Amino acid sequence: MTGLIDEDLAYIWHPCAQMKDYETFKPLHIVGAKGSYLHLDDGHRIIDAISSWWCKSLGHGHPQLKQALLRQIERFEHVIFANTTNKSVVSLAKQLISLNEGLHKVLFASDGSSVVEMALKMSVHAHRIQGNCQRNHFMSLSNAYHGETLLALSVSNTDIFCRDYEALLLPVHFLKHIPYVHSTEDPMWADCSAIWPDILRQLAPYQDTLSAIIVEPIVQGAAGMRIYSQDFLKRLAHWAKKHGIYLIADEMMTGFGRTGTWFAYKHADITPDFLCLGKGLTAGWLPMSALLLTDTIYQLFYDDYQRGHNFLHSHTHSGNVLAAAVADEVCRIMRDQSIVKSIEGLSATLLKCMRRVEEETSCVMNIRCIGAIAACDLIVTKEQAHRRLGYEVYQKAVKLGALLRPIGNTIYWLPPFTISTDCLNQLCDITIKAIKDVMSQPGY
Ligand SMILES: Cc1ncc(COP(=O)(O)O)c(C=O)c1O
């Protein structure tokens, strides 16, 4: 008899995977998920240490979110969102706007990449309407990641995702020498004046041709959870404003509390022109993304149809009502239960645990932590350089009881905000054992 895994491998191409890897380490057969745990068909449960690709901020199976979804399903599940409206989407839009002072309008899409595309396109369009047709270039940060569609990939600087499509990507300027920090205690966090002249030199040649600068505010996730100076973000935002360049904050991963503030741009006390949200927007229940923008930009497009200033960009599931009902409830839960405030305590525990990993393994360095994110890098010897150590740690950790999914040789935790201290200590023990086992194996 053919098993489920055989059938899966016979028909399915999994995301972000070399399918041959599954010959030796099969996909995990999930039969349930609750809180911070994933339940496997063999009866074991494992800790979801990365909130299922950074989206399950409130854990799996949250009862209030389930109720919100069921309530909406009883009414209707999806209706074209051009020319129609409904209570759930309007309520959600009001909440999103009230959480982001200075942003006034919201458009919906289905995922991160498509909302990033939308922001980039709209920035160029807005400049065109103002007669600034030369403003059609983008700037991004080195090590950036903004998604997989071609425009989103163009503003990404992550070699393994970009290199095979280089011929298709737009030329984009990537700012180098980003002032990375380990935590908000790092002096560079509050003052990056020492490196700013170098950044200004890089910015200057593009001040008249840039349409927008796009950033992952404060933490670059796919680059290995790299945290950078809030002062750098503040200076960059002010420079962009001074030169009439839009700032796009891509908060796919950092939004909805992940860095200890509702949105990471708030660390720098700035307001971006565009804000891209997803993942935590529905706490990972359903695919939905949102683009928030200023009224000034909105007014540029608001005109008689014949004038041609129309943003004719659509996605079939824009404003999907099931996702909207859940997202609306996510905002409510986060507000009513002061979830963002609770992340302070979680952050301290995460850091303590990561320090224990360092002490007990002596195999990691560069511990960094902000909000509900903690990360470190494996110390790799010359003999180990050819091994996929992060992948080996992943395999070992799964066997020990945690879905830990390192990025290269970066080990990180990005758990649901609702994870218990017991569960976190368990995750810490598993991480230590997995690292020790992998790193003590002789090179081969
Ligand atoms: C900062 C950032 N932008 C965009 C994306 C792409 O989002 P999606 O995978 O929903 O297309 C991601 C995904 O991880 C991300 O972290």
Side-chain angles (χ1 to χ4, degrees):
M1 201 177 75
T2 319
L4 183 87
I5 300 298
D6 293 328
E7 288 193 331
D8 172 296
L9 295 177
Y11 299 113
I12 294 174
W13 193 334
H14 285 266
C16 204
Q18 168 50 261
M19 291 303 295
K20 195 166 192 290
D21 283 348
Y22 288 119
E23 281 181 11
T24 46
F25 203 84
K26 307 290 181 205
L28 306 172
H29 181 171
I30 307 293
V31 295
K34 198 89 196 132
S36 301
Y37 289 96
L38 308 177
H39 296 260
L40 306 182
D41 70 320
D42 63 4
H44 286 102
R45 61 177 197 173
I46 61 172
I47 302 167
D48 187 350
I50 58 156
S51 299
S52 284
W53 255 341
W54 318 342
C55 65
K56 297 299 307 177
S57 49
L58 299 177
H60 295 270
H62 196 294
Q64 267 173 269
L65 296 179
K66 184 174 168 186
Q67 283 312 313
L69 180 58
L70 291 176
R71 274 196 304 276
Q72 182 56 50
I73 284 179
E74 288 299 327
R75 295 184 207 119
F76 65 102
E77 71 284 359
H78 179 67
V79 170
I80 179 174
F81 195 53
N83 312 102
T84 76
T85 192
N86 60 74
K87 267 190 177 169
S88 295
V89 186
V90 172
S91 175
L92 169 62
K94 276 168 66 181
Q95 293 212 71
L96 292 177
I97 298 303
S98 75
L99 289 166
N100 291 283
E101 206 181 318
L103 300 175
H104 310 101
K105 300 285 176 188
V106 53
L107 280 93
F108 292 99
S110 321
D111 54 54
S113 307
S114 54
V115 86
V116 163
E117 297 270 339
M118 200 146 81
L120 292 166
K121 276 176 66 182
M122 194 187 276
S123 77
V124 171
H125 199 156
H127 283 301
R128 258 184 96 78
I129 292 173
Q130 296 171 88
N132 297 325
C133 297
Q134 84 289 359
R135 286 208 180 274
N136 52 19
H137 292 265
F138 301 118
M139 184 173 268
S140 178
L141 306 188
S142 46
N143 303 312
Y145 177 78
H146 294 288
E148 302 292 350
T149 52
L150 286 177
L151 202 47
L153 211 51
S154 291
V155 291
S156 298
N157 184 229
T158 321
D159 190 51
I160 53 165
F161 300 128
C162 299
R163 64 182 169 226
D164 295 311
Y165 313 103
E166 226 138 65
L168 303 174
L169 304 182
L170 290 183
V172 165
H173 317 290
F174 293 101
L175 273 186
K176 293 189 206 50
H177 312 140
I178 309 305
Y180 292 114
V181 299
H182 291 98
S183 75
T184 59
E185 307 290 307
D186 200 312
M188 190 73 89
W189 169 260
D191 178 8
C192 75
S193 50
I195 60 95
W196 188 245
D198 170 42
I199 301 289
L200 275 181
R201 266 192 298 279
Q202 297 181 57
L203 289 168
Y206 304 107
Q207 67 187 39
D208 297 324
T209 52
L210 284 181
S211 173
I213 300 177
I214 182 164
V215 295
E216 295 153 271
I218 303 298
V219 186
Q220 296 180 307
M225 301 300 150
R226 296 192 198 201
I227 308 168
Y228 63 82
S229 160
Q230 66 81 14
D231 186 42
F232 167 75
L233 180 56
K234 190 180 285 159
R235 287 168 187 258
L236 190 62
H238 289 169
W239 183 88
K241 195 165 266 345
K242 182 170 149 197
H243 293 284
I245 297 159
Y246 294 122
L247 182 72
I248 303 172
D250 173 0
E251 296 238 14
M252 219 49 57
M253 188 277 279
T254 53
F256 285 90
R258 183 52 67 180
T259 68
T261 52
W262 264 96
F263 302 99
Y265 74 81
K266 291 184 186 270
H267 285 288
D269 198 20
I270 55 163
T271 305
D273 300 286
F274 295 97
L275 174 64
C276 304
L277 300 175
K279 294 188 187 272
L281 173 62
T282 64
W285 273 68
L286 287 158
M288 173 179 250
S289 55
L291 177 65
L292 276 68
L293 54 123
T294 63
D295 195 48
T296 316
I297 295 169
Y298 177 78
Q299 292 302 337
L300 291 170
F301 291 82
Y302 197 87
D303 212 334
D304 293 330
Y305 186 86
Q306 290 75 4
R307 297 254 301 153
H309 298 164
N310 314 309
F311 191 63
L312 301 180
H313 179 121
S314 58
H315 293 288
T316 307
H317 279 280
S318 173
N320 177 278
V321 74
L322 296 179
V326 173
D328 190 37
E329 192 66 18
V330 168
C331 295
R332 206 164 291 124
I333 292 170
M334 290 202 51
R335 260 189 170 144
D336 293 352
Q337 299 178 15
S338 305
I339 299 283
V340 177
K341 184 130 193 44
S342 75
I343 290 167
E344 222 173 276
L346 173 58
S347 192
T349 313
L350 279 168
L351 181 58
K352 210 166 79 192
C353 286
M354 203 47 104
R355 291 220 168 103
R356 187 151 75 79
V357 172
E358 183 182 38
E359 275 160 30
E360 293 191 26
T361 65
S362 305
C363 290
V364 304
M365 60 181 182
N366 285 335
I367 290 190
R368 48 208 182 266
C369 179
I370 189 167
I373 307 170
C376 64
D377 301 321
L378 294 173
I379 299 169
V380 183
T381 64
K382 241 199 234 151
E383 294 72 42
Q384 291 166 325
H386 67 287
R387 286 169 59 186
R388 292 166 70 195
L389 293 168
Y391 183 58
E392 291 179 40
V393 170
Y394 154 74
Q395 292 176 311
K396 195 57 89 179
V398 165
K399 287 183 183 147
L400 294 168
L403 182 68
L404 197 64
R405 204 171 175 279
I407 299 170
N409 290 328
T410 294
I411 310 291
Y412 74 96
W413 301 320
L414 199 147
F417 304 149
T418 47
I419 193 168
S420 68
T421 304
D422 271 1
C423 188
L424 214 49
N425 284 326
Q426 215 181 325
L427 174 59
C428 183
D429 291 341
I430 291 170
T431 306
I432 290 167
K433 183 149 180 32
I435 292 175
K436 275 184 168 173
D437 282 4
V438 166
M439 299 302 268
S440 63
Q441 277 170 30
Y444 49 80

